[in-house]
């Protein structure tokens, strides 16, 4: 693989921009449209981009683990629902920084599910990361920023955002298990197809007709999700993940800027301090876990559709 750090970093930073942008659009539509309706259009309009990636090798739907794909899609769907709920109720930057807890939950879940024994360095990183979560959550009082309306943010939404990091980690572990026998393109195709079908089934019962503007946003949500996936795939094909991985955290910058200028969400001191602790712990684990990360990318376990650095 040719190692082009500049190209890989630029592509990955661009992927995080589109992820932040689609979260902003989900925030706009999430207050008036059902989450499942938004997610249906997200998967439907991202499918052409998944097919574009798959067409570079071979479009293979044959599988010996169909139930595994169904289970992975159900968990992934739960994660997407949680994202729509939290971006609608939390400042974009705070939802983004809490999503960065996924690597921390991966360490915790690897103990009972993979029977791994995390190193001392990983435990230190996990401790630092979750201390950042505490800073973000508890800082809502004196240190928290405010939006232009001065409206209060529900505390429960922070717990949902944190839980989404755990669900996202579980999704990643499921992908790793499937990738032992399935190609990354097969996993991505079944995810897009199954999630589209799953969210289409309840549509007749929850359907809310979107306005023209909302319809445009829904198309853009799916397109942005697909573009982000293409860019991330190209990024990790251009350079080693250990070299460009930290650029995935540029998503926090995009989320903060979009939240500030688009929604009047001024980042608070607590969010900045907590974000540094969470991102620092993630970068630390990335740097000390290079072989595992390279294997994960080869298996297709880095997921742009969730918007986290991973």
């Amino acid at each position: 693989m040719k190692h082009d750090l500049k190209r890989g970093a630029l592509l990955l930073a661009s992927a995080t921009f589109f992820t932040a942008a689609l979260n902003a659009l989900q925030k706009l539509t999430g207050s008036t449209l059902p989450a499942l309706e938004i997610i249906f259009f997200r998967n439907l309009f991202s499918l052409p981009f998944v097919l574009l990636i798959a067409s570079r090798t071979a479009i293979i739907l044959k599988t010996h683990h169909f139930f595994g794909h169904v289970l992975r899609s159900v968990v992934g769907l739960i994660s997407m629902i949680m994202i729509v709920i939290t971006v609608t109720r939390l400042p974009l930057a705070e939802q983004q920084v809490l999503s960065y807890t996924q690597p921390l939950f991966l360490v915790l879940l690897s103990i009972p599910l993979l029977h791994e024994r995390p190193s001392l360095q990983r435990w230190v990183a996990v401790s630092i990361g979750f201390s950042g979560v505490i800073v973000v959550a508890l800082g809502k009082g004196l240190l928290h920023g405010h939006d232009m309306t001065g409206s209060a943010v529900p505390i429960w939404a922070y717990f949902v955002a944190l839980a989404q990091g755990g669900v996202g980690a579980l999704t990643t572990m499921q992908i790793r298990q499937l990738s032992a026998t399935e190609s990354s393109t097969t996993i991505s195709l079944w995810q897009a197809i199954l999630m589209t079908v799953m969210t289409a089934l309840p549509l007749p019962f929850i359907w809310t007709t979107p306005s023209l503007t909302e319809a445009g946003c829904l198309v853009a949500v799916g397109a942005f999700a697909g573009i982000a996936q293409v860019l991330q795939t190209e990024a990790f094909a251009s350079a080693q993940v250990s070299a460009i991985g930290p650029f995935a955290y540029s998503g926090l910058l995009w989320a903060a800027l979009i939240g500030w200028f688009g929604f009047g969400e001024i980042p608070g001191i607590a969010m900045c301090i907590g974000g540094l602790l969470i991102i620092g712990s993630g970068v630390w684990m990335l740097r000390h876990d290079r072989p595992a990360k390279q294997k994960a990318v080869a298996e297709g376990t880095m997921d742009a559709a969730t918007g986290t650095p991973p």
Side-chain angles (χ1 to χ4, degrees):
M1 180 182 70
K2 183 179 179 181
H3 182 67
D4 189 338
L5 177 59
K6 183 181 294 186
R7 182 174 187 271
L10 180 61
L11 287 170
L12 189 54
S14 299
T16 65
F17 168 78
F18 280 100
T19 300
L22 78 87
N23 280 339
L25 293 176
Q26 289 183 142
K27 186 181 184 74
L28 284 173
T29 55
S31 59
T32 56
L33 299 177
L36 286 176
E37 186 174 335
I38 296 171
I39 296 169
F40 166 75
F41 285 105
R42 170 176 176 162
N43 285 284
L44 178 65
F45 290 112
S46 67
L47 187 56
F49 295 91
V50 176
L51 290 171
L52 174 64
I53 297 174
S55 65
R56 295 186 175 186
T57 53
I59 300 178
I60 302 174
L61 287 175
K62 182 179 180 181
T63 177
H64 299 290
H65 300 282
F66 179 73
F67 179 76
H69 288 288
V70 172
L71 183 60
R72 180 263 180 274
S73 297
V74 169
V75 176
L77 180 58
I78 293 173
S79 178
M80 286 189 179
I81 292 173
M82 296 170 83
I83 290 174
V84 174
I85 290 173
T86 52
V87 297
T88 304
R89 292 165 175 82
L90 293 180
L92 287 174
E94 293 188 2
Q95 185 278 333
Q96 185 73 39
V97 77
L98 289 175
S99 73
Y100 290 156
T101 56
Q102 180 173 322
L104 309 181
F105 281 107
L106 274 174
V107 174
L108 298 180
L109 290 175
S110 68
I111 300 173
L113 298 182
L114 301 179
H115 306 291
E116 293 182 356
R117 300 178 64 180
S119 64
L120 177 60
Q121 289 178 333
R122 282 189 173 188
W123 280 119
V124 172
V126 168
S127 300
I128 293 173
F130 279 114
S131 68
V133 173
I134 294 174
V135 171
V136 171
L138 297 183
K140 175 174 169 52
L142 296 176
L143 299 178
H144 188 262
H146 57 85
D147 59 21
M148 287 183 174
T149 64
S151 58
V153 179
I155 296 297
W156 63 265
Y158 284 93
F159 290 99
V160 175
L162 182 61
Q164 188 274 323
V167 175
L170 182 59
T171 301
T172 298
M173 299 189 77
Q174 290 176 314
I175 295 175
R176 288 183 179 178
Q177 291 173 340
L178 285 170
S179 63
T181 56
E182 311 281 289
S183 69
S184 59
T185 53
T186 300
I187 296 173
S188 298
L189 281 170
W190 274 116
Q191 171 191 320
I193 293 171
L194 289 173
M195 283 191 179
T196 302
V197 173
M198 289 176 183
T199 50
L201 293 176
L203 275 186
F205 307 99
I206 64 170
W207 177 261
T208 299
T209 303
S211 65
L212 186 60
T213 300
E214 289 171 335
C217 288
L218 293 175
V219 174
V221 163
F224 286 1
I227 292 171
Q229 187 165 352
V230 171
L231 290 173
Q232 182 169 280
T233 300
E234 286 295 318
F236 287 117
S238 301
Q240 296 175 352
V241 64
S242 58
I244 66 172
F247 287 92
Y249 291 101
S250 62
L252 179 58
L253 173 62
W254 302 126
L257 290 175
I258 294 173
W260 192 344
F261 292 106
F263 300 92
E265 300 168 347
I266 303 174
I269 298 175
M271 197 285 295
C272 295
I273 296 175
L276 286 174
L277 291 172
I278 295 172
I279 292 175
S281 67
V283 173
W284 187 2
M285 283 195 288
L286 184 68
R287 291 301 189 185
H288 286 83
D289 197 23
R290 182 174 302 182
K293 286 291 185 181
Q294 290 174 334
K295 183 175 183 293
V297 172
E299 295 171 342
T301 58
M302 306 297 283
D303 191 354
T306 74
T308 58

